[in-house]
Amino acid sequence: MRLAKGLDDFIKSPLGRFFVGGTFLFWCHDPTLRGWALWGRLSADDVDKLLSLMDDQRAMRLPYDVVHDIRRVESVDTSAFERYLAYVRANLERDPAVTRRRAIVHGVGLGLPGLLAAGMVSLLGAPGRWRGFENPEPAFRWFERPDADAICEEVSALVESAIAPSPSLAPLRTYLAANVTSADVDRVAGALGLSRRSLQRLLKSSGTTFRDEVEQARVAEAHRLLSDTD
């Protein structure tokens, strides 16, 4: 699968491509299989982007199978969770006509991902079409595709690459962590000894955007302030 240039680009032509947001990766292998992986602390903005991708069915051959990989979720913004629940409730009736099976990879134990998975299955009341898995391999094999293992390996590699901080982005993230309140693309590029175009090229090649990097830095600073100060 190939990286999409942006959210609109992916929505326009999703087949065989993937899109990386701040804390998620959305992929569409073919007209009958798609999925997403979530990690870290989910913000309302990330959930809005994810829902816009979930809501677009133009390129899919219905019904299709979906993989939700939520085992790396650390926390969920309250407003983000409320928006997701509202979306699920609004689409309960049409879900059987849109999706065939949904595999939820929640990891081992009953941590936050496990509780989220149990909540989704309970809310939809469709245990035959929703099934939880501790690991991704059996989740993909549940769809009974001959290429299940190959797709699982490809998706896992894409997710790991998206989660792992790129060494080339380390200076940018270090600078933003210390200067998030005055983050401006030209100022940041100058501080890093780069031109604006070079910085944007670096971000694009790493599957992210300046806005996403700033948002992640702001969320991290907000958590620090809430945890460590009055």
Side-chain angles (χ1 to χ4, degrees):
M1 287 179 279
R2 298 176 291 109
L3 175 66
K5 296 178 181 179
L7 182 63
D8 293 338
D9 179 49
F10 181 84
I11 290 176
K12 181 179 178 180
S13 179
L15 298 182
R17 307 172 82 188
F18 66 95
F19 172 77
V20 180
T23 54
F24 72 90
L25 183 144
F26 197 105
W27 53 271
C28 181
H29 185 268
D30 56 58
T32 61
L33 181 62
R34 72 195 299 185
W36 50 89
L38 312 175
W39 60 83
R41 300 180 175 90
L42 302 185
S43 68
D45 184 64
D46 284 336
V47 169
D48 284 342
K49 291 178 182 177
L50 186 60
L51 294 183
S52 69
L53 291 167
M54 291 167 59
D55 204 39
D56 189 84
Q57 319 294 338
R58 287 175 296 177
M60 303 303 290
R61 184 184 304 139
L62 306 180
Y64 51 82
D65 295 319
V66 184
V67 179
H68 307 251
D69 188 345
I70 61 174
R71 57 198 157 124
R72 301 179 183 87
V73 173
E74 298 173 8
S75 65
V76 182
D77 179 274
T78 302
S79 61
F81 188 64
E82 290 175 348
R83 293 183 194 185
Y84 181 78
L85 285 182
Y87 175 88
V88 172
R89 290 193 180 100
N91 289 274
L92 279 177
E93 293 185 1
R94 78 171 185 136
D95 189 72
V98 174
T99 57
R100 180 169 46 186
R101 291 164 293 190
R102 291 181 182 270
I104 309 174
V105 184
H106 54 73
V108 180
L110 289 177
L112 177 61
L115 293 174
L116 289 174
M120 285 191 288
V121 173
S122 175
L123 179 63
L124 286 175
R129 294 187 302 106
W130 288 69
R131 184 176 297 181
F133 298 88
E134 293 186 350
N135 299 299
E137 292 82 5
F140 280 85
R141 291 170 188 163
W142 182 42
F143 301 139
E144 301 177 328
R145 295 177 56 124
D147 55 355
D149 288 341
I151 298 174
C152 178
E153 184 176 348
E154 179 182 9
V155 171
S156 296
L158 292 175
V159 173
E160 291 300 329
S161 177
I163 294 175
S166 169
S168 57
L169 290 180
L172 168 64
R173 290 172 174 168
T174 299
Y175 179 87
L176 289 178
N179 303 275
V180 69
T181 58
S182 59
D184 171 86
V185 63
D186 292 316
R187 181 179 301 171
V188 172
L192 299 177
L194 300 171
S195 67
R196 180 191 182 104
R197 179 171 295 183
S198 294
L199 176 58
Q200 291 176 332
R201 189 162 48 243
L202 169 63
L203 291 164
K204 181 179 179 180
S205 66
S206 300
T208 185
T209 66
F210 185 75
R211 178 182 177 182
D212 286 340
E213 292 297 319
V214 171
E215 287 178 350
Q216 289 185 62
R218 286 174 175 164
V219 171
E221 177 64 6
H223 277 278
R224 186 192 69 78
L225 292 172
L226 289 168
S227 301
D228 302 338
T229 75
D230 294 330

